[in-house]
Amino acid sequence: MEMDGNRDESLVNPALDINETKLHNSLRQKTWDETITKDSWMVFKVMAEFVDGYEKLAKIGPCVSIFGSARLKPESRYYEMAVEIAEKITKLGFGIITGGGPGIMEAGNKGAFNAQGRSIGLNIDLPFEQHFNPYINKSYSMNFDYFFVRKVMFVKYSQGFVVMPGGFGTLDELTEALTLIQTNKIGRFPIVLVGSEFWGGLLDWFKATLLKEGMIAADDLDLYRVVDTADEAVAHIKAFYDKYSVNVNF
């Protein structure tokens, strides 16, 4: 449909209507009662998600979180590698935590499932690509409304992080873990980046821009290890815990 000579994109892309609605709601002047009521109920919803998460995950024991794209298909080499990494980490005695959805998340849960280990899925409601994968232990399947609550669960119950190639969500999870370790908010658990070709540009930017501008310290570049094979990823996790006793992060 044309409107004044311009195409009305909202008619061919309904998502634009959703975005416009959210913008208008955010900018609309609200009454004091509306603000207090909405914020108060949001606090209770957040509390409920934290309590539910803590109760379900309190006894899972040492785990490793695997992050990565929801969009990678089973035929992807990274999907296959994530399955292998998860299987081998599970055989070391760790559970596997993922975001519970498709792609790399499914691969991680599949590896844990294949090795008959604990397979945890922390899902979140997203409009297009997120749904539970079939490899999660039902007792460890959770659904979140809030990204920040979900990220707390990832970090609180993980003793290591394996980061496969992914998009904005994966970068968010990676930088969250790096920041918490850098600022001593959690222990210095191993962070493994899988795929030097994929991560190379970002890591070069860390050195050429962040380090050069004094925004990070040289030691911060030691917070992660870059590998290209499943065996290298698992070996780094194993070497860390051969050196340090495995203590749960809660």
Side-chain angles (χ1 to χ4, degrees), residues 1-3 7-14 16-17:
M1 180 177 177
E2 301 286 331
M3 298 182 64
R7 188 182 187 188
D8 182 2
E9 291 292 338
S10 66
L11 296 179
V12 295
N13 185 359
L16 291 179
D17 286 342

Side-chain angles (χ1 to χ4, degrees), residues 179-187:
T179 300
L180 291 171
I181 292 174
Q182 178 200 50
T183 55
N184 295 317
K185 294 299 183 181
I186 63 172

Side-chain angles (χ1 to χ4, degrees), residues 13-14 16 23 26 40 55 60 65 81 85 92 97-98 101-102 116 132 135 154 159 166 181 207 234 243 247 249:
N13 185 359
L16 291 179
L23 285 172
S26 296
S40 296
E55 288 183 346
I60 58 174
S65 284
M81 197 182 303
I85 290 170
L92 293 178
I97 300 175
T98 81
Q116 300 181 331
F132 280 111
Y135 301 104
F154 275 131
Q159 279 68 55
I181 292 174
K207 297 174 186 176
V234 176
K243 182 178 179 180
N247 292 311
N249 190 31

Side-chain angles (χ1 to χ4, degrees), residues 43-249:
V43 169
F44 287 117
K45 287 176 64 179
V46 170
M47 288 174 60
E49 289 201 352
F50 274 119
V51 171
D52 191 32
Y54 291 160
E55 288 183 346
K56 283 191 175 182
L57 301 180
K59 297 181 180 180
I60 58 174
C63 290
V64 171
S65 284
I66 296 181
F67 302 136
S69 176
R71 304 186 186 194
L72 290 178
K73 305 300 181 185
E75 55 269 23
S76 162
R77 64 188 177 99
Y78 290 121
Y79 181 104
E80 295 175 353
M81 197 182 303
V83 173
E84 183 180 356
I85 290 170
E87 284 186 3
K88 292 180 175 180
I89 287 176
T90 299
K91 290 176 181 177
L92 293 178
F94 292 93
I96 298 295
I97 300 175
T98 81
I104 293 298
M105 295 175 281
E106 177 182 291
N109 289 129
K110 182 177 180 180
F113 179 85
N114 290 347
Q116 300 181 331
R118 288 155 293 168
S119 182
I120 299 102
L122 308 181
N123 196 43
I124 191 162
D125 288 324
L126 295 177
F128 304 115
E129 64 192 28
Q130 190 83 352
H131 56 78
F132 280 111
N133 69 66
Y135 301 104
I136 304 167
N137 298 143
K138 290 185 178 179
S139 57
Y140 296 137
S141 175
M142 298 189 61
N143 204 49
F144 294 89
D145 285 325
Y146 300 101
F147 270 108
F148 66 90
V149 179
R150 180 175 178 245
K151 285 197 295 181
V152 168
M153 299 303 158
F154 275 131
V155 174
K156 180 174 176 59
Y157 294 100
S158 292
Q159 279 68 55
F161 307 92
V162 174
V163 190
M164 306 296 295
F168 290 152
T170 302
L171 292 173
D172 180 37
E173 290 155 352
L174 167 61
T175 52
E176 177 89 3
L178 286 171
T179 300
L180 291 171
I181 292 174
Q182 178 200 50
T183 55
N184 295 317
K185 294 299 183 181
I186 63 172
R188 190 167 174 171
F189 299 118
I191 298 176
V192 182
L193 304 180
V194 180
S196 58
E197 181 180 359
F198 180 86
W199 294 108
L202 177 65
L203 302 182
D204 288 344
W205 180 74
F206 283 0
K207 297 174 186 176
T209 302
L210 297 185
L211 182 60
K212 182 180 178 181
E213 296 291 337
M215 296 175 182
I216 61 172
D219 290 348
D220 293 333
L221 300 176
D222 297 327
L223 296 179
Y224 53 83
R225 174 71 60 86
V226 186
V227 303
D228 283 304
T229 68
D231 284 340
E232 288 177 312
V234 176
H236 183 58
I237 299 289
K238 185 177 186 302
F240 184 88
Y241 284 107
D242 283 346
K243 182 178 179 180
Y244 299 100
S245 298
V246 178
N247 292 311
V248 295
N249 190 31

